Amino acid sequence: MPKSLERLDYAALTPSASIAALTHGWRAKCLQRLIRIGLPVPQTVALPFATVRAIADGQMVDTAAILALFGTDALVSVRASSENPDWGGPGTLLNIGMTWARHAAFAASHGAEIANTLYLNFIQSYAIHVARLDPDLFEASDGSAETLRAALRAYEQEMETPFPQDPARQLAEVLRSMARAWEGTSARLLRQAKGAPMEAGLGLMVQEMVLTLGPGDCGWGMMQLVDPVTGSAQVTGRYQSKSHGGAPLETGVLFLTEDPRGPSLQERNPHLFAQLIAAAEASRVKLREEMQISFAVEDGALRVLDAVRAPRSSRAAVRIAVTLAQEGIITRPDALLRVEPRALSELLHQQIDPRGSRDRIGRGIAASPGAAQGRIVFSSRAAQASDARGEACILVRRETAPEDIRGMHAASGVVTERGGITSHAAVIARGLGLPCVVGMADVKVNLKDMTVTAADGRVFREGDMITVDGTEGTVLAGAVDLLPPAQDENFRTLLAWADDVRDIGIRANADTPADARMAHGFAAEGIGLCRSEHMFFDADRLTVMREMIFANTVSDRKIALDRLLPMQRADFTGMFEIMQGLPVCIRLFDPPLHEFLPHDRDGMRELAEALDRPLSDVIRRVEALSEFNPMLGMRGVRLGIVLPEIYDMQARAIFEATVDAGIKGAAVVPEIMIPLVSAKREVELVKTRIESVAAAVRNERGAGFDYRLGVMVETPRAALRAGEIAQYTSFLSFGTNDLTQMTYGLSRDDAGRFMNTYVQLGVFPEDPFYMLDVDGVGELLLIGAERGRRAQPDLTLSICGEHGGNTESIEFCRQAGFDYVSCSPFRVPVARLAAAQLALRSPRIS
Amino acid sequence: MPKSLERLDYAALTPSASIAALTHGWRAKCLQRLIRIGLPVPQTVALPFATVRAIADGQMVDTAAILALFGTDALVSVRASSENPDWGGPGTLLNIGMTWARHAAFAASHGAEIANTLYLNFIQSYAIHVARLDPDLFEASDGSAETLRAALRAYEQEMETPFPQDPARQLAEVLRSMARAWEGTSARLLRQAKGAPMEAGLGLMVQEMVLTLGPGDCGWGMMQLVDPVTGSAQVTGRYQSKSHGGAPLETGVLFLTEDPRGPSLQERNPHLFAQLIAAAEASRVKLREEMQISFAVEDGALRVLDAVRAPRSSRAAVRIAVTLAQEGIITRPDALLRVEPRALSELLHQQIDPRGSRDRIGRGIAASPGAAQGRIVFSSRAAQASDARGEACILVRRETAPEDIRGMHAASGVVTERGGITSHAAVIARGLGLPCVVGMADVKVNLKDMTVTAADGRVFREGDMITVDGTEGTVLAGAVDLLPPAQDENFRTLLAWADDVRDIGIRANADTPADARMAHGFAAEGIGLCRSEHMFFDADRLTVMREMIFANTVSDRKIALDRLLPMQRADFTGMFEIMQGLPVCIRLFDPPLHEFLPHDRDGMRELAEALDRPLSDVIRRVEALSEFNPMLGMRGVRLGIVLPEIYDMQARAIFEATVDAGIKGAAVVPEIMIPLVSAKREVELVKTRIESVAAAVRNERGAGFDYRLGVMVETPRAALRAGEIAQYTSFLSFGTNDLTQMTYGLSRDDAGRFMNTYVQLGVFPEDPFYMLDVDGVGELLLIGAERGRRAQPDLTLSICGEHGGNTESIEFCRQAGFDYVSCSPFRVPVARLAAAQLALRSPRIS
């Protein structure tokens, strides 16, 4: 006996009914609460999840008994009601109950055309959504008898059975169809992608339709009390007079409120309008949310059909949450939990106006959010020239390299043909807050011809205007309308509340004084990662840097480094002053030296001239420094040990800047971080030299200062040996980008070629450069943290790098007992909110 | 009271004395045993370690009392006696006791010149080794009174004190000097490098000198019963007639045995010779070792002065050990423990004859042992041409790439300017058994001019004859004399004994049937790693491979793969037949595709012609496939998942070869290994496809066969997730090369630039590509093994790669419960012996 014969449950909504989102869905719960507060909701019956699941399994409720609750002449609608509004569900079906008998009655009371239209609408919906027939067969929509008969014929030919004339049977088929649609594979995947569990249920609501056909004011509308774009208090929505169930009778869209452009409901029927506003306000307060009300007017009487969470832009979401809390309708924690952290990043950047049209050139990976427009340039030099002329430009490259950083600074946006979410271009662009799209697989960049060939074959050239949408990951032709950023008072209020509740520190990665200013503006609690070498890419420094690289003796190298020293000192002094005593963690020089050398013949020729050396010398040096796998080569602490003068100079610059900043009133305890460590002896050697530089500076300047020394844990070995390493350090900061590369054996610059395939096939649940790999990389973090803390209980632990701002990473770090996360300045607001939400949702274990 | 006043211990050697290597040193123990068996050893007093240590600390034995044991006129010598002969010690000092008084006596009895010479010799030794004066002051060595007086004057001027005339004081100073030399830093480092513990002690022996000045047969010599080069039974050594204490009196070197080239001791004094042989034989049997005897003859009477382990080449060491065991003098385990495993690899290759002279061009890293000579070539093409002409050549490159493999096959030896112990050139050369030197930092290779510039500035060109010494790591000018390899009967006997006792399997890495033949010849128990892609570098296959790479559609790719299928199948059939049913583990295609494409313009032009495509097409494809970090890019299982047709073809080739080999009587259960895994789903996806290929082949061929599927653990993540991965596999084989690269974040091809500095500074105790990093990589091995076995108790565990043959790695794998290690064929004999020694020295825990 596979099917249970017990009576399937359903409930009429009444002020006293017990309807929960967990059993009947959020929509049923909303409606039930509207009824409880006395709003005029038509008769509604709610089918709980268990009933709908039984229907999908082949059982059926007593539909005749349900229809009997509505009276014999009623038409009904069925709406989906899942546990969470984001999980979707089948669309609403209207006009259930239309038959030839009802047709005849409508024809008699309202005329044949209205009767035809109502019946045709129902047949079309039923055929397409219940009988699953080809929509092409049911296209015509005029109110003629001919069209109606043609639709019925089409139905009967396809189904080989007449159109059902029993309302109870119609309702049963509709319920079965909606119940099964919920169980379909695509619906299931879609909602699981939005976080729904496997066993997520669907409720269904059968509601009596309001016949807006009476002699007085009739119509149908939707309204909310806020502007969906800005979130400010303003009645918005629409009202269609004399319409019924989607079939316009007397075409007449009215404004809701008084409007110079035309008639409004407010003018035409102030009493009704007042009732509507009262209903909306009541639901706002009782449901503790800005709601969008669906309503119908029948002969001047208001009926509330449905209420859903009012749609809103990210900016509006912030304002609504803050306002509701300020008005005492919700608590501050509620307000914090109602804004999606990711949405905040939209508020930091210009965005493409959603109302405009989009002429897409190609699609890639959304690498850095926001929109920008400008003329195409293909080189950093052209970008700088364009910037000098005051013309916005978009830098288009196959990929970017460190030598492009100046060009990126000069550009408004960046597009690369290759690369993934953590490629060089993507990382730098996020740091700069520059809209960026990478991995444009359907676009070809030809640097020789200076052309971009679009997916559809169109060719764009230098100087052509384009728009980069780094939020969506698309590149558009021409200049489209942009919306400005929105870091307003509400934004700041919400984040101040977030800071009150979060329980993990948030720092920013900032490589230059400009970055530091931005980080401070976003209220970062310090700088977690200052990549000191980024300061060397300025034109004048690059030359000195190259002289240093070409030095053949220690003393020549020192001469070049002595010229870099005051520049570095000035950088650090600037950062210390900007950060006003907040901690600044400076990572010592990290990249391989060849990143500072030109890679093409022209660049080498120029360099030879600049250095006054034979070209062959330059070529030989460039070749000698080139590496098979630069990621795994002579960089980081390896350089610091083989050419210790570099770190000596940097340590001196840091200490002298500390003294200088102290004199200017910005006392700071700088943090010095050693990159790419794989053995404790590396730390020991560097530590000894840094200590002696500190002693020398203290002595020379007659000033005392403290500093903290730490290690960037980027190699699996450093994580495994953290116990030994921690004995020499005050802090460990996990560089999850490189650690991910090494744990997977996966170069982030080369992964783009197969990452999409890998994610599609489920080999990786997500790009591990985007979402921290908790199982593998995460275990190394836990091992490192545990061993480090065991050896050194006061050890400060953190992560820096691309993962730092992600909710998942923040939660991981909270649970692992880390002190802070560090992310790019533009991620700081997101991280502050995400951390607050995590603290509200689950207490910290350690 | 810092100095103890208790009497310092010493002992005269007698037949009943209790002298142990642990207290008095090996030399004292040997001598004491020679006395016990009745050999005529002069009076000897042994000072134990404790006494010598007290002397170094400032105390002194009663030297007058010691000298009294020898009689008033005796001269004495002092010899060092450390616990282990390999740990060194200060040199022997002779003629102690020479004073003006003894000089006068000698002048009276033997003439002034003899007296002068004896005294001068002692003054020189004493001044240089005891008083530590500048040796230049004591250069003259004629027997004149003038020279003697000059030496005494020089001593007195430097020391501002007369030369000591009290023999007891002379002896005390000698003992103090030798005791302190042992405690010196350089001596300590030297012996610790050879495995001596911090607290290793030194014993000293004071022996009465035999005055070989009498009227009858007098002289001094050394002899052993074996040939030090071959180890065969033959009396060898030398005898200097009428000499005394290093001062030749009547110049006359005699052969020991009858010799057509001149007079011999055997002819001149057959009785004495017989005594000498008897003494040597007795010491051989009693000391259970081939000994080198130092002896003196005084007026026809034999005196045995000292006996040390006879010096021996590696070949001789094997023969001696086997012979002693076969004669029942030592046990087979003793024989196994007496041969240094590393020494065996010398026996597999030609070696440079140590007796020849060496004109060194430069020095580098000894990357693959053995010596070879030939004419310089600078390209693989030239190597193949030279090979075709039947002329031996040495391939000289800045570094090698996979496209050089054919050239390496054609060359007799390989030299590269760059690279470390596990660079491409080094790995391939070891696999091929080709002498190879890499990382020649003091040599410049200019491929454009086709020159090699030596450390001293000499320029060598294509066609010049050179010799590579891959055992020493040097390159020599010209063709020097070579010794042939020596895998003789003794070698095979010793290894057969090793196989009886070892408790871990030894397989070989073999990529081609030729390699497999070598592996089988070295008695490998199977193939642990067959890098299947190495088969694609043959000229005809390379073209098809490139067609496959250039295929734009799946069907085009399949057409190319269908052409590769029969070639691969033939390769595998060949290997299965050669290995005669032993397991063969085939690693699926691993390298990035760009390794198969040309990198220079000429190569691309040729390829364009071969493929009949425009050059621009070829350039674009090469560029598109190029990677920033090939080691971390699109290779291994990533290729297998994105282009699954490649693995399909390989699986089919393996299964068809299995059926074919079975028909030919070589039934085999092939092992298929998936490379570069980082996630279990990779294994799941590949496994599913391989299973369906197996089903198809079983069906098509109507034959049943088994196979085993496994994973090469090369990424830290695969080790961490071994528990999940093991659920899909029968075996895990740890690829320690790549695992080391990723654990350290260190490319083996780029590490050469700083590895020397790192090892010198003690950052790494050893190059981790050469010696397994037990702390970091080793922990990942243990984690992987433990989690894998927990999930799958029958899991076969192994390591393959460069570390496989090292004693330390074998011991690590034994203790970790691994089933086998796999190494290059030429390392198999070394590994077999090393494993046997480990089994003898310590029982296996698991």
Side-chain angles (χ1 to χ4, degrees), chain A residues 297-343:
Chain A
V297 179
E298 185 180 16
D299 202 6
L302 177 70
R303 312 293 292 278
V304 173
L305 306 181
D306 190 19
V308 300
R309 193 169 164 276
R312 63 199 71 181
S313 70
S314 296
R315 172 198 304 223
V318 171
R319 181 167 194 149
I320 290 169
V322 169
T323 306
L324 288 174
Q326 284 171 334
E327 292 180 11
I329 295 172
I330 61 175
T331 62
R332 286 182 181 182
D334 281 341
L336 288 167
L337 290 169
R338 287 207 185 169
V339 178
E340 175 61 37
R342 233 178 293 268

Side-chain angles (χ1 to χ4, degrees), chain B residues 681-700:
Chain B
R681 177 107 176 108
E682 291 170 326
V683 185
E684 206 182 339
L685 288 170
V686 171
K687 183 178 177 140
T688 306
R689 286 191 80 115
I690 286 180
E691 275 170 359
S692 74
V693 173
V697 173
R698 284 194 187 105
N699 197 34
E700 287 159 22

Side-chain angles (χ1 to χ4, degrees), chain A residues 398-400 418 444 594 620 623-635 637-639 641-642 676-682 685 715-718 720-721 724 741-751 753-754 757-758 761-764 773-777 779-780 783 787, chain B residues 398-400 418 444 594 620 623-635 637-639 641-642 676-682 685 715-718 720-721 724 741-751 753-754 757-758 761-764 773-777 779-780 783 787:
Chain A
R398 300 196 60 189
E399 66 243 341
T400 65
R418 295 165 66 171
K444 286 278 154 278
H594 54 76
R620 195 171 318 118
E623 274 177 13
L625 285 174
S626 77
E627 295 182 301
F628 295 98
N629 296 288
M631 177 57 50
L632 309 177
M634 172 86 160
R635 46 173 284 242
V637 69
R638 295 164 192 167
L639 270 175
I641 283 179
V642 176
L676 206 71
V677 165
S678 64
K680 68 164 180 194
R681 176 106 177 109
E682 292 169 326
L685 288 171
T715 67
R717 197 172 190 281
L720 293 169
R721 308 306 296 166
E724 289 177 347
Q741 300 198 71
M742 291 168 195
T743 305
Y744 276 90
L746 186 61
S747 158
R748 68 180 185 200
D749 292 314
D750 300 311
R753 199 169 294 156
F754 56 91
T757 309
Y758 255 50
L761 290 175
V763 179
F764 299 158
D773 160 43
V774 171
D775 290 342
V777 179
E779 180 171 11
L780 288 175
I783 288 174
R787 294 182 182 178
Chain B
R398 299 196 61 190
E399 66 243 341
T400 64
R418 293 166 67 170
K444 287 277 154 280
H594 53 77
R620 196 173 316 118
E623 276 178 10
L625 285 175
S626 77
E627 295 183 302
F628 294 100
N629 296 288
M631 176 57 49
L632 309 176
M634 172 86 159
R635 46 173 284 242
V637 69
R638 296 164 192 166
L639 270 174
I641 282 179
V642 176
L676 206 71
V677 165
S678 66
K680 69 164 179 193
R681 177 107 176 108
E682 291 170 326
L685 288 170
T715 67
R717 196 172 192 281
L720 293 169
R721 308 306 295 167
E724 291 176 344
Q741 300 197 71
M742 290 167 194
T743 304
Y744 276 90
L746 187 61
S747 157
R748 69 182 185 197
D749 292 315
D750 299 311
R753 199 169 294 156
F754 56 92
T757 308
Y758 256 50
L761 291 174
V763 178
F764 299 157
D773 159 44
V774 171
D775 290 342
V777 179
E779 180 170 12
L780 287 174
I783 289 174
R787 295 182 183 179

Side-chain angles (χ1 to χ4, degrees), chain B residues 392-473:
Chain B
C393 64
I394 305 295
L395 179 61
V396 178
R397 304 280 295 163
R398 299 196 61 190
E399 66 243 341
T400 64
E403 60 205 32
D404 292 318
I405 286 184
R406 286 169 292 156
M408 294 178 74
H409 270 282
S412 302
V414 178
V415 175
T416 68
E417 183 186 321
R418 293 166 67 170
I421 192 75
T422 48
S423 64
H424 179 266
V427 172
I428 300 300
R430 281 196 291 277
L432 296 173
L434 216 54
C436 175
V437 178
V438 301
M440 303 266 307
D442 55 358
V443 155
K444 287 277 154 280
V445 174
N446 187 325
L447 291 177
K448 218 179 75 201
D449 304 348
M450 304 226 286
T451 56
V452 184
T453 307
D456 60 8
R458 278 183 295 171
V459 174
F460 294 81
R461 299 178 188 285
E462 188 156 64
D464 288 351
M465 177 64 73
I466 58 172
T467 300
V468 181
D469 185 349
T471 306
E472 290 285 320

Side-chain angles (χ1 to χ4, degrees), chain A residues 522-571:
Chain A
F522 287 134
E525 294 166 297
I527 290 175
L529 175 61
C530 169
R531 288 163 285 221
S532 56
E533 68 272 10
H534 279 223
M535 299 167 168
F536 294 131
F537 284 104
D538 282 353
D540 51 338
R541 302 175 181 203
L542 192 59
T543 306
V544 187
M545 191 66 201
R546 288 170 168 179
E547 280 172 23
M548 193 277 286
I549 294 170
F550 274 80
N552 282 321
T553 64
V554 171
S555 65
D556 281 358
R557 189 152 55 237
K558 276 194 177 151
I559 288 170
L561 287 167
D562 282 348
R563 288 174 58 202
L564 288 171
L565 173 67
M567 306 179 190
Q568 280 261 284
R569 185 177 50 220
D571 293 329

Side-chain angles (χ1 to χ4, degrees), chain A residues 8-9 22-23 47-61 83 175-176 178-180 182-183 188 191 197-204:
Chain A
L8 295 181
D9 189 37
L22 263 171
T23 52
L47 278 57
F49 298 169
T51 297
V52 176
R53 193 165 291 125
I55 291 173
D57 287 346
Q59 300 184 59
M60 187 44 67
V61 283
E83 187 184 330
L175 295 175
R176 192 186 332 272
M178 289 173 82
R180 291 199 170 152
W182 180 254
E183 302 295 338
R188 185 185 293 272
R191 66 179 177 262
M198 282 290 284
E199 67 285 359
L202 178 72
L204 291 173

